[in-house]
Structure formats: structure tokens, C-alpha cells
Amino acid sequence: MTRRRTHPRRASRPRRTEPSNGGTDARRPPANAPATPDPRNPPPGGHRARGGHQQHPVPTCRQHARGRGRCGVRPGRRGRVHERSRAVRRRGRDRDARRRVPDRPARVSSRPRSSRAPVAHAAVGVGAILLGGQGILLGRHHRGTPELPGGSVEAGESFEAAVIRELAEETGLVAHAEDVGLLGALVDHVDGVLRVTVGSIVHAWRGEPMMQPGECVGDWAWYPLDQLPDGLFVCSAQNLTAWRPDLAIDHPPAHFTRFAPVTPPYAPA
């Protein structure tokens, strides 16, 4: 005979039975009893304080930003957070106002220079190259140095005007502004003075070069490029090599900046 295997009896939980008297269970509130507020889930429109009871309604930050009055949050952590958020928004508006570019006027103003005259530390001059059928025009200083026509730039004078004036004063030749082409600026430092010389080439002129009374340079003559005299004035030698770097002329070095041609859209109308 087969022996039946027995298992230990498991304990079972008794069934929940409704009270026989038709009453309500002690663990379940009556149907008509008022609902007890849950402290963990406050109803909308209010917030929970200590004890679980409902307090005043709390307006949102959006209501406060729309100008519906001061926030109704009582002093506490939430009030401090709301005040901080309002300060952050105020700082953001101030920063945006500073970044906003103001309307620019139609014309930009400039500030005048100081009335005190600066200490003189530079000399500005021009040199003119005239290339004719017999070569370039050179004069001789009363000290014996051959040099190009040129001189210092006067106050309120353009480089072209200085070339035309010096050419007329030293040689008697007449030229116009449209006949003068500026090559660039030569900058060197001599005996503590910054010397700036603007080289130019004159394409057309009228008259014959002659020695003018009261001038230090005279004895004007035309020299072929391959027969230039020795001992040229330093500024004249620098102008000639800036114009023609292939010329065999020795002189102290100078920084030359060539003037860029005027091209559209920067060309005057």
C-alpha cells in the first residue's frame, strides 16, 4: 500500500466578516461622516501648515508677475524663495536694459584736442620726383648736397598741397593736385627726432626749373637714372629707392608704408 505524503498545514488568515447587526466597521468611517483633511495631500488653493489644517490661499508667481498685488505668502521659507525669485527677475531686467544698444545719432561727434601744445618730437616733410625725358630733376643745396624738390608740411596743408607749394617755391614749376601721386610714407629716427617723409611723383608740370631767390637749393638739372650723382641727401635717396627698389643707392634704412589705392566702395562719389 502506497503511503500518502503529508505536508505541514499552513496557517490561513480568517475571512473578514461584516457585522451581523448591519452596523459599520470600526475601521471604515460612515458614509455620511465629513472627510478628514489629509496632511500629506492639501486641497488646491491652500497649503498645509503644522497640524494639517488649511490656511489662506497662495497666489502663484505668475499672478504676482501680472500685477495682482503683493504675494500672500506669510513670512517663512516660501516667502523668502519668492522674494529671491523677484530679485532675480529684477536683476535680469536691469542687465537687459544695459545690453540694449541706444539709438545712434545720424552723425558721430568728436572731442576737441587739448589747448596745450604737445612737445615737438617729429618732423613731417614731402619729396617730389619729376621724371622727364632726360632723367629726374635734382637740385644742389648750398652745402653741396644733391636732393629732390621738397620741404616741410605746413599747418593745415595736405601732402599734395605741400608738394605743389614746395615745387613752385624752389623751382618755379607749376603743377596741380591731380598731377601729384603719393607713393607712401618713410619713417626713420634721427638724433631723437622722428622723421616722416611722404614721397610723391609728379606726372605733369608747366615751366622750366630755375633757381629761385631766397632758396637754399638751386642749380637744377636733369640726371639719367644710371648716372645719379654721389652723396645724395638721405631723404631723397630713400624716396628714390621707395619708388624704384632696383636703383643702386645706399642709404640708412627706413620703414616705408605704401599708400593703398582708393578703390570702391571707398572711392569718393
Side-chain angles (χ1 to χ4, degrees), residues 6 9 24 29 44 52 69 74 85 93 119 152-153 202 216 231 234 254 264 268:
T6 60
R9 186 179 298 276
T24 58
R74 291 183 179 180
S85 63
R93 288 193 299 266
V119 179
S152 301
V153 180
V202 182
C216 297
V234 173

Side-chain angles (χ1 to χ4, degrees), residues 190-206:
V190 180
D191 296 334
V193 177
L194 185 68
R195 188 181 298 274
V196 180
T197 305
V198 177
S200 64
I201 181 169
V202 182
H203 303 287
W205 60 87
R206 291 183 302 171

